[in-house]
Amino acid sequence: MNPDHFLSQSRGRRIDASTQTRIDAYLTHLLGMNIALGSGPTRARAEEVFTFITTLIADATYDESTGTKLYELASTAAGFAGWAAFDSNDSSAAQTHYRNALHLARTSGAADLEVLFAAGLARQQCGIGRPTAALELLSGVDASVRCSRNARAVAAHRAVSAQAHAMLGNAVPQNRAMDAARAALEHDEVPEALTFTSWITRSVIELELGGVLLHADRPRQALRHFDVLDTGAYPAVEHPRDGVIHLACAAQAYLGTGDVEAAVFYAHRAQDLLDRVSSARAWRRVAGLRRAFSAHRRAPVVRDYLGRAMA
Protein backbone atom coordinates (compact mmCIF):
# COMPACT_ATOMS: atom_id res chain seq x y z
CA MET A 1 0.00 0.00 0.00
CA ASN A 2 1.37 3.40 -1.02
CA PRO A 3 -0.19 5.88 1.46
CA ASP A 4 0.64 9.03 -0.52
CA HIS A 5 -0.82 7.65 -3.75
CA PHE A 6 -3.87 6.31 -1.95
CA LEU A 7 -4.51 9.64 -0.24
CA SER A 8 -4.31 11.53 -3.51
CA GLN A 9 -6.95 9.17 -4.90
CA SER A 10 -9.18 9.28 -1.80
CA ARG A 11 -9.18 12.95 -0.77
CA GLY A 12 -12.75 14.21 -0.93
CA ARG A 13 -14.05 10.88 -2.23
CA ARG A 14 -16.30 8.39 -0.48
CA ILE A 15 -14.50 5.36 0.92
CA ASP A 16 -15.96 2.01 1.96
CA ALA A 17 -15.16 -1.34 3.57
CA SER A 18 -12.53 -2.20 0.96
CA THR A 19 -10.37 0.63 2.27
CA GLN A 20 -10.65 -0.72 5.80
CA THR A 21 -9.65 -4.17 4.61
CA ARG A 22 -6.51 -2.86 2.87
CA ILE A 23 -5.42 -0.85 5.93
CA ASP A 24 -6.10 -3.78 8.25
CA ALA A 25 -4.05 -6.11 6.04
CA TYR A 26 -1.17 -3.62 5.95
CA LEU A 27 -1.13 -3.27 9.74
CA THR A 28 -1.12 -7.06 10.10
CA HIS A 29 1.81 -7.22 7.68
CA LEU A 30 3.71 -4.69 9.81
CA LEU A 31 2.88 -6.67 12.93
CA GLY A 32 4.43 -9.78 11.41
CA MET A 33 7.57 -7.80 10.53
CA ASN A 34 7.73 -6.40 14.06
CA ILE A 35 7.50 -9.86 15.65
CA ALA A 36 10.19 -11.23 13.36
CA LEU A 37 12.62 -8.32 13.24
CA GLY A 38 11.82 -5.78 15.95
CA SER A 39 10.86 -2.13 15.74
CA GLY A 40 13.78 -0.99 13.58
CA PRO A 41 12.07 -1.52 10.20
CA THR A 42 8.50 -0.94 11.40
CA ARG A 43 8.35 2.18 13.58
CA ALA A 44 8.43 4.76 10.78
CA ARG A 45 5.88 2.76 8.79
CA ALA A 46 3.53 2.53 11.78
CA GLU A 47 3.75 6.29 12.29
CA GLU A 48 3.18 6.83 8.57
CA VAL A 49 0.06 4.66 8.46
CA PHE A 50 -1.31 6.44 11.56
CA THR A 51 -0.94 9.79 9.77
CA PHE A 52 -2.48 8.26 6.66
CA ILE A 53 -5.59 7.06 8.53
CA THR A 54 -6.11 10.32 10.42
CA THR A 55 -5.84 12.22 7.11
CA LEU A 56 -8.50 9.95 5.65
CA ILE A 57 -10.72 10.64 8.65
CA ALA A 58 -10.34 14.38 8.07
CA ASP A 59 -10.53 14.54 4.26
CA ALA A 60 -12.54 11.61 2.94
CA THR A 61 -16.28 10.98 3.18
CA TYR A 62 -17.79 7.79 4.60
CA ASP A 63 -20.83 6.43 6.43
CA GLU A 64 -21.03 6.07 10.21
CA SER A 65 -20.00 2.42 10.26
CA THR A 66 -16.92 3.09 8.13
CA GLY A 67 -16.02 6.10 10.29
CA THR A 68 -16.14 4.01 13.45
CA LYS A 69 -13.88 1.40 11.87
CA LEU A 70 -11.44 4.10 10.70
CA TYR A 71 -11.16 5.39 14.28
CA GLU A 72 -10.50 1.83 15.49
CA LEU A 73 -7.80 1.38 12.84
CA ALA A 74 -6.25 4.75 13.77
CA SER A 75 -6.22 3.64 17.41
CA THR A 76 -4.53 0.39 16.43
CA ALA A 77 -1.91 2.19 14.33
CA ALA A 78 -1.20 4.66 17.14
CA GLY A 79 -0.87 1.82 19.64
CA PHE A 80 1.47 -0.01 17.28
CA ALA A 81 3.56 3.15 16.91
CA GLY A 82 3.61 3.45 20.70
CA TRP A 83 4.92 -0.07 21.08
CA ALA A 84 7.54 0.49 18.37
CA ALA A 85 8.69 3.72 20.05
CA PHE A 86 8.88 1.90 23.40
CA ASP A 87 10.99 -0.81 21.78
CA SER A 88 13.25 1.93 20.38
CA ASN A 89 13.78 3.33 23.91
CA ASP A 90 11.88 6.51 22.97
CA SER A 91 9.63 6.78 26.04
CA SER A 92 8.36 10.27 25.23
CA ALA A 93 7.12 9.28 21.77
CA ALA A 94 5.69 6.04 23.15
CA GLN A 95 3.63 7.96 25.68
CA THR A 96 2.31 10.34 23.00
CA HIS A 97 1.34 7.50 20.67
CA TYR A 98 -0.32 5.47 23.41
CA ARG A 99 -2.35 8.47 24.58
CA ASN A 100 -3.50 9.02 20.98
CA ALA A 101 -4.47 5.36 20.80
CA LEU A 102 -6.49 5.62 24.01
CA HIS A 103 -8.30 8.75 22.83
CA LEU A 104 -9.21 7.17 19.50
CA ALA A 105 -10.34 3.93 21.15
CA ARG A 106 -12.67 5.89 23.42
CA THR A 107 -13.97 7.92 20.48
CA SER A 108 -14.88 4.75 18.60
CA GLY A 109 -16.25 2.97 21.68
CA ALA A 110 -13.71 0.13 21.29
CA ALA A 111 -13.41 -1.16 24.86
CA ASP A 112 -10.96 -3.92 23.88
CA LEU A 113 -8.54 -1.43 22.33
CA GLU A 114 -8.89 0.96 25.26
CA VAL A 115 -7.95 -1.82 27.69
CA LEU A 116 -5.08 -3.02 25.50
CA PHE A 117 -3.48 0.38 25.00
CA ALA A 118 -4.04 1.46 28.61
CA ALA A 119 -1.96 -1.61 29.47
CA GLY A 120 0.65 -0.53 26.92
CA LEU A 121 0.84 2.98 28.34
CA ALA A 122 0.98 1.63 31.90
CA ARG A 123 3.80 -0.67 30.87
CA GLN A 124 5.65 2.33 29.45
CA GLN A 125 5.15 4.13 32.76
CA CYS A 126 6.59 1.15 34.61
CA GLY A 127 9.52 1.26 32.21
CA ILE A 128 10.40 4.80 33.29
CA GLY A 129 10.01 4.01 36.98
CA ARG A 130 6.46 5.27 37.58
CA PRO A 131 4.49 2.25 38.85
CA THR A 132 2.01 4.36 40.81
CA ALA A 133 1.11 6.31 37.66
CA ALA A 134 0.74 2.96 35.88
CA LEU A 135 -1.76 1.74 38.46
CA GLU A 136 -3.75 4.98 38.17
CA LEU A 137 -3.96 4.52 34.39
CA LEU A 138 -5.11 0.94 34.76
CA SER A 139 -7.77 1.79 37.32
CA GLY A 140 -9.08 4.44 34.94
CA VAL A 141 -10.23 1.79 32.45
CA ASP A 142 -11.78 -0.66 34.93
CA ALA A 143 -15.23 -0.10 33.40
CA SER A 144 -13.90 -1.04 29.96
CA VAL A 145 -12.20 -4.12 31.42
CA ARG A 146 -15.60 -5.29 32.65
CA CYS A 147 -17.07 -4.68 29.16
CA SER A 148 -14.20 -6.20 27.20
CA ARG A 149 -14.71 -9.51 25.47
CA ASN A 150 -11.03 -9.86 24.60
CA ALA A 151 -9.49 -12.17 27.20
CA ARG A 152 -5.96 -11.33 26.10
CA ALA A 153 -6.42 -7.58 26.46
CA VAL A 154 -7.83 -8.15 29.96
CA ALA A 155 -4.89 -10.44 30.79
CA ALA A 156 -2.44 -7.74 29.64
CA HIS A 157 -4.18 -5.21 31.89
CA ARG A 158 -4.00 -7.53 34.92
CA ALA A 159 -0.40 -8.57 34.18
CA VAL A 160 0.86 -4.99 33.99
CA SER A 161 -0.95 -4.30 37.27
CA ALA A 162 1.01 -7.18 38.78
CA GLN A 163 4.25 -5.73 37.42
CA ALA A 164 3.51 -2.30 38.91
CA HIS A 165 2.72 -3.83 42.30
CA ALA A 166 5.93 -5.88 42.09
CA MET A 167 7.92 -2.68 41.56
CA LEU A 168 6.26 -1.21 44.66
CA GLY A 169 6.91 -4.35 46.71
CA ASN A 170 3.19 -5.04 47.19
CA ALA A 171 3.21 -8.85 47.19
CA VAL A 172 -0.47 -9.50 47.93
CA PRO A 173 -1.97 -7.30 45.15
CA GLN A 174 0.83 -8.50 42.83
CA ASN A 175 -0.19 -12.12 43.31
CA ARG A 176 -3.89 -11.28 43.07
CA ALA A 177 -3.37 -9.45 39.77
CA MET A 178 -1.27 -12.27 38.32
CA ASP A 179 -3.88 -14.84 39.31
CA ALA A 180 -6.48 -12.70 37.50
CA ALA A 181 -4.26 -12.51 34.40
CA ARG A 182 -3.78 -16.28 34.37
CA ALA A 183 -7.49 -16.84 34.88
CA ALA A 184 -8.32 -14.56 31.93
CA LEU A 185 -6.18 -16.74 29.66
CA GLU A 186 -7.27 -20.09 31.08
CA HIS A 187 -10.02 -20.74 28.56
CA ASP A 188 -8.83 -18.46 25.78
CA GLU A 189 -8.30 -20.16 22.44
CA VAL A 190 -5.22 -19.58 20.32
CA PRO A 191 -6.25 -17.15 17.53
CA GLU A 192 -6.22 -18.67 14.06
CA ALA A 193 -4.81 -15.49 12.50
CA LEU A 194 -2.16 -13.03 13.66
CA THR A 195 -3.71 -10.25 15.75
CA PHE A 196 -2.47 -7.43 17.92
CA THR A 197 -3.15 -9.51 21.03
CA SER A 198 -1.63 -12.77 19.75
CA TRP A 199 1.54 -12.14 21.76
CA ILE A 200 -0.33 -12.09 25.09
CA THR A 201 0.09 -15.64 26.38
CA ARG A 202 0.53 -17.34 29.74
CA SER A 203 4.26 -17.74 29.14
CA VAL A 204 4.74 -14.08 28.13
CA ILE A 205 3.05 -12.65 31.23
CA GLU A 206 5.20 -14.92 33.40
CA LEU A 207 8.39 -13.82 31.64
CA GLU A 208 7.55 -10.13 31.86
CA LEU A 209 6.86 -10.37 35.60
CA GLY A 210 10.19 -12.18 35.94
CA GLY A 211 11.91 -9.25 34.23
CA VAL A 212 10.31 -6.78 36.64
CA LEU A 213 11.35 -8.85 39.66
CA LEU A 214 14.89 -8.99 38.28
CA HIS A 215 14.97 -5.19 38.02
CA ALA A 216 13.72 -5.07 41.61
CA ASP A 217 16.86 -7.06 42.61
CA ARG A 218 14.93 -10.23 43.37
CA PRO A 219 16.68 -12.72 41.05
CA ARG A 220 15.56 -15.87 42.85
CA GLN A 221 11.92 -14.86 42.62
CA ALA A 222 12.47 -13.88 38.97
CA LEU A 223 13.78 -17.35 38.09
CA ARG A 224 10.47 -18.94 39.06
CA HIS A 225 8.93 -17.13 36.10
CA PHE A 226 11.71 -17.91 33.61
CA ASP A 227 11.25 -21.68 33.66
CA VAL A 228 8.89 -21.43 30.65
CA LEU A 229 12.02 -20.84 28.56
CA ASP A 230 12.89 -24.51 29.04
CA THR A 231 9.50 -26.21 28.95
CA GLY A 232 8.70 -25.36 25.34
CA ALA A 233 5.84 -23.09 26.45
CA TYR A 234 7.64 -20.06 25.01
CA PRO A 235 9.09 -20.56 21.50
CA ALA A 236 11.86 -17.95 21.62
CA VAL A 237 12.97 -18.75 18.06
CA GLU A 238 9.55 -17.65 16.78
CA HIS A 239 9.79 -14.37 18.72
CA PRO A 240 13.48 -13.49 18.39
CA ARG A 241 13.34 -9.88 19.63
CA ASP A 242 11.47 -10.74 22.81
CA GLY A 243 13.35 -14.02 23.04
CA VAL A 244 16.65 -12.13 23.28
CA ILE A 245 15.29 -9.96 26.08
CA HIS A 246 13.81 -12.81 28.11
CA LEU A 247 16.86 -15.07 27.70
CA ALA A 248 19.20 -12.24 28.67
CA CYS A 249 17.07 -11.53 31.74
CA ALA A 250 17.23 -15.20 32.70
CA ALA A 251 21.01 -15.11 32.31
CA GLN A 252 21.26 -12.06 34.54
CA ALA A 253 18.97 -13.65 37.13
CA TYR A 254 21.18 -16.75 37.29
CA LEU A 255 24.22 -14.50 37.57
CA GLY A 256 22.52 -12.75 40.48
CA THR A 257 22.16 -16.07 42.29
CA GLY A 258 25.82 -16.97 41.68
CA ASP A 259 25.20 -19.67 39.07
CA VAL A 260 27.67 -18.45 36.45
CA GLU A 261 27.53 -21.52 34.19
CA ALA A 262 23.73 -21.35 33.91
CA ALA A 263 24.00 -17.62 33.22
CA VAL A 264 26.42 -18.25 30.36
CA PHE A 265 24.15 -20.94 28.93
CA TYR A 266 21.24 -18.50 28.67
CA ALA A 267 23.50 -15.70 27.45
CA HIS A 268 24.61 -17.85 24.50
CA ARG A 269 20.98 -18.60 23.67
CA ALA A 270 20.24 -14.88 23.62
CA GLN A 271 23.26 -14.25 21.42
CA ASP A 272 22.04 -16.90 18.97
CA LEU A 273 19.01 -14.71 18.25
CA LEU A 274 20.49 -11.23 18.59
CA ASP A 275 21.77 -10.79 15.04
CA ARG A 276 18.28 -11.45 13.67
CA VAL A 277 16.61 -8.45 15.28
CA SER A 278 16.63 -4.66 15.10
CA SER A 279 15.56 -3.58 18.58
CA ALA A 280 17.16 -0.99 20.86
CA ARG A 281 15.63 -2.74 23.88
CA ALA A 282 17.15 -6.09 22.94
CA TRP A 283 20.60 -4.64 22.29
CA ARG A 284 20.48 -2.62 25.51
CA ARG A 285 19.52 -5.69 27.53
CA VAL A 286 22.42 -7.70 26.10
CA ALA A 287 24.83 -4.79 26.65
CA GLY A 288 23.79 -4.70 30.31
CA LEU A 289 24.35 -8.44 30.55
CA ARG A 290 27.87 -8.12 29.13
CA ARG A 291 28.68 -5.48 31.75
CA ALA A 292 27.36 -7.77 34.48
CA PHE A 293 29.62 -10.57 33.24
CA SER A 294 32.71 -8.35 33.36
CA ALA A 295 33.14 -9.07 37.07
CA HIS A 296 33.46 -12.78 36.25
CA ARG A 297 36.05 -12.59 33.47
CA ARG A 298 38.35 -15.06 35.20
CA ALA A 299 35.93 -17.88 34.50
CA PRO A 300 36.81 -19.51 31.13
CA VAL A 301 33.14 -19.90 30.15
CA VAL A 302 32.61 -16.18 30.70
CA ARG A 303 35.68 -15.29 28.63
CA ASP A 304 34.41 -17.50 25.82
CA TYR A 305 30.99 -15.85 25.89
CA LEU A 306 32.37 -12.31 26.00
CA GLY A 307 34.74 -13.12 23.16
CA ARG A 308 31.81 -14.26 21.06
CA ALA A 309 29.54 -11.36 22.10
CA MET A 310 32.15 -8.71 21.34
CA ALA A 311 33.25 -10.22 18.03
Side-chain angles (χ1 to χ4, degrees), residues 234-251:
Y234 181 77
V237 174
E238 295 177 17
H239 306 275
R241 184 265 314 283
D242 292 336
V244 169
I245 293 168
H246 297 317
L247 288 163
C249 282

Side-chain angles (χ1 to χ4, degrees), residues 2-283:
N2 184 323
D4 289 336
H5 174 72
F6 195 86
L7 279 176
S8 67
Q9 298 296 311
S10 303
R11 187 167 285 113
R13 295 178 58 185
R14 190 170 186 83
I15 57 175
D16 56 23
S18 64
T19 304
Q20 305 166 29
T21 301
R22 292 172 67 181
I23 296 170
D24 209 0
Y26 185 65
L27 285 169
T28 301
H29 168 68
L30 289 184
L31 176 61
M33 286 181 61
N34 186 67
I35 290 171
L37 303 172
S39 62
T42 59
R43 178 181 174 182
R45 297 186 190 191
E47 292 172 340
E48 180 182 59
V49 77
F50 169 69
T51 300
F52 165 61
I53 299 168
T54 54
T55 302
L56 275 183
I57 290 171
D59 292 349
T61 60
Y62 39 81
D63 60 26
E64 183 177 352
S65 175
T66 300
T68 298
K69 181 60 177 177
L70 285 174
Y71 273 96
E72 290 179 7
L73 288 168
S75 175
T76 301
F80 188 169
W83 167 249
F86 178 77
D87 189 53
S88 302
N89 289 331
D90 190 344
S91 291
S92 177
Q95 180 168 304
T96 298
H97 288 311
Y98 275 131
R99 290 196 184 281
N100 285 336
L102 274 172
H103 169 72
L104 289 160
R106 288 168 180 154
T107 300
S108 65
D112 296 344
L113 292 179
E114 183 181 3
V115 172
L116 179 63
F117 296 134
L121 181 56
R123 188 172 182 232
Q124 179 266 343
Q125 291 293 293
C126 286
I128 58 174
R130 300 185 64 199
T132 301
L135 290 172
E136 291 173 356
L137 277 164
L138 294 170
S139 66
V141 296
D142 280 344
S144 292
V145 170
R146 290 190 292 271
C147 295
S148 177
R149 297 182 180 180
N150 190 311
R152 292 180 181 233
V154 172
H157 178 279
R158 302 307 192 200
V160 177
S161 177
Q163 294 165 29
H165 282 299
M167 292 177 69
L168 293 167
N170 300 332
V172 172
Q174 169 199 315
N175 293 334
R176 187 184 301 123
M178 271 304 284
D179 286 344
R182 294 175 185 126
L185 293 171
E186 188 172 353
H187 302 295
D188 186 55
E189 296 181 0
V190 177
E192 295 181 2
L194 184 64
T195 71
F196 280 85
T197 57
S198 298
W199 63 273
I200 304 165
T201 64
R202 175 71 177 265
S203 57
V204 166
I205 65 174
E206 298 293 343
L207 290 166
E208 291 198 343
L209 180 58
V212 169
L213 291 167
L214 174 63
H215 290 308
D217 200 25
R218 287 180 269 170
R220 292 188 187 279
Q221 291 183 42
L223 285 174
R224 299 173 194 164
H225 300 275
F226 289 135
D227 61 359
V228 295
L229 292 167
D230 299 308
T231 63
Y234 181 77
V237 174
E238 295 177 17
H239 306 275
R241 184 265 314 283
D242 292 336
V244 169
I245 293 168
H246 297 317
L247 288 163
C249 282
Q252 196 150 357
Y254 274 110
L255 199 58
T257 65
D259 192 338
V260 175
E261 289 195 1
V264 169
F265 170 74
Y266 284 94
H268 276 296
R269 288 176 64 186
Q271 194 68 35
D272 289 342
L273 300 175
L274 186 62
D275 289 340
R276 295 172 51 186
V277 303
S278 176
S279 163
R281 278 195 314 134
W283 282 91

